């Protein structure tokens, strides 16, 4: 079975632009979570989606939004990009919404803001 | 609020020596605890997790960790380091009571293996 796939792998944007990152979960997984990992830090929780509904949100501004589609894939949108948004964005999927289930991470999208 | 503290941003051990990566957590409710490994330019891979039951948890690649409630610790160990263990390791905690996917990660410990 394919693992969690994220696209694109790398992205370069300029300040003020908007970006959409995509994630396809493992087949059969209904929960998708998004994390931001700034260089030298651990991942920070942004969103969790389960059954197309937002189930959790981290401490991120409203410029960050996400959605989950009927096939359980997900998109993360970031508007009005700032230099500080430069990071590795990780998507993780699990069978259900509870954290005792193992989360499987994709290799991430590295976003660079110039 | 939950938090995780990993002691030592960099740890170096010789090949064949004991690996010990330290993690202390803070949680007002019974936690779920995790160790993840991240290789360069890759996502995170789950090494092991503690949810309930036995406090000594065995994971992949010969790693294990022990949940010590009295010390609020969840240190990661491996008896004999291998060159392939060089990576970034993250300790993480989540809240059993919330029953959601939100995981709080520590800042990570980079493990260097010396030949």
């Amino acid at each position: 079975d394919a693992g969690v796939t994220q696209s694109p792998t790398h992205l370069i944007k300029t300040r003020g632009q908007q970006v959409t990152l995509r994630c396809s979960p493992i087949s059969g997984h209904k929960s998708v979570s998004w994390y931001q990992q700034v260089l030298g830090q651990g991942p920070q929780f942004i969103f969790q989606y389960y059954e197309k509904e937002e189930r959790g949100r981290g401490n991120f501004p409203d410029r960050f939004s996400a959605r989950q589609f009927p096939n359980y894939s997900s998109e993360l949108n970031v508007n009005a990009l700032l230099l500080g948004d430069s990071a590795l964005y990780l998507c993780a999927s699990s069978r259900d919404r509870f954290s005792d289930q193992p989360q499987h991470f994709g290799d991430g999208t590295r976003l660079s803001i110039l | 609020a939950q938090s995780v503290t990993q002691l030592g941003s960099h740890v170096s051990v010789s090949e064949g020596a004991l690996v010990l990566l330290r993690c202390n957590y803070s949680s007002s409710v019974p936690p779920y605890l995790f160790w993840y490994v991240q290789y360069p330019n890759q996502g995170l891979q789950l090494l092991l997790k503690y949810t309930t039951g036995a406090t000594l948890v065995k994971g992949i690649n010969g790693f294990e960790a022990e949940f010590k409630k009295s010390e609020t610790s969840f240190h990661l160990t491996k008896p004999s380091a291998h060159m392939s263990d060089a990576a970034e390791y993250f300790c993480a905690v989540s809240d059993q009571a919330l029953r959601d996917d939100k995981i709080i990660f520590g800042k990570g410990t980079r493990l260097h293996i010396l030949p």
Side-chain angles (χ1 to χ4, degrees), chain B residues 33-35 46-60 62-68 74-78:
Chain B
L33 294 161
F34 309 84
W35 275 100
L46 180 67
L47 280 176
L48 49 81
K49 65 176 183 177
Y50 168 79
T51 53
T52 58
T55 56
L56 182 62
V57 181
K58 294 186 184 299
I60 62 172
F63 285 94
E64 61 182 37
E66 186 170 11
F67 170 59
K68 292 187 176 180
F74 191 58
H75 301 331
L76 181 70
T77 61
K78 181 174 180 178

Side-chain angles (χ1 to χ4, degrees), chain A residues 31 33 35 37 40-43 45 48 57 88 90 94 96-103 105-107, chain B residues 32 34 36 38 41-46 49 51 90 94-95 98-108:
Chain A
S31 174
S33 296
Y35 292 83
Q37 186 178 18
Q41 300 291 319
F45 175 79
Q48 183 207 14
R57 184 184 182 107
L88 180 67
L90 295 165
S94 56
D96 61 33
R97 59 177 290 199
F98 304 122
S99 57
D100 58 343
Q101 296 297 310
Q103 289 197 33
F105 283 80
D107 287 341
Chain B
Y32 291 150
F34 309 84
Y36 284 85
Q38 186 176 34
N41 300 314
Q42 293 186 22
L44 280 72
Q45 180 182 12
L46 180 67
K49 65 176 183 177
T51 53
F90 293 94
S94 70
D95 187 339
L98 286 178
R99 299 282 284 160
D100 64 19
D101 247 357
K102 181 179 180 179
I103 297 179
I104 307 299
F105 286 87
K107 292 185 177 181

Side-chain angles (χ1 to χ4, degrees), chain A residues 3 26 31 36 39 43 55 71 75 104 107 110:
Chain A
I26 291 173
S31 174
Q36 181 196 64
L39 195 63
R55 301 290 185 169
N71 67 353
E75 287 182 352
H104 299 264
D107 287 341
R110 185 161 298 282

Side-chain angles (χ1 to χ4, degrees), chain B residues 4-5 11 28 34 37 58-59 62 68 70 75 82 106:
Chain B
V4 171
T5 301
V11 170
S28 58
F34 309 84
V37 62
K58 294 186 184 299
K68 292 187 176 180
S70 61
H75 301 331
H82 192 272

Side-chain angles (χ1 to χ4, degrees), chain A residues 64-85:
Chain A
F64 288 77
S65 63
R67 55 180 175 169
Q68 187 177 33
F69 298 98
N71 67 353
Y72 303 109
S73 67
S74 179
E75 287 182 352
L76 174 70
N77 296 285
V78 187
N79 294 322
L81 287 166
L82 303 174
L83 291 178
D85 295 330

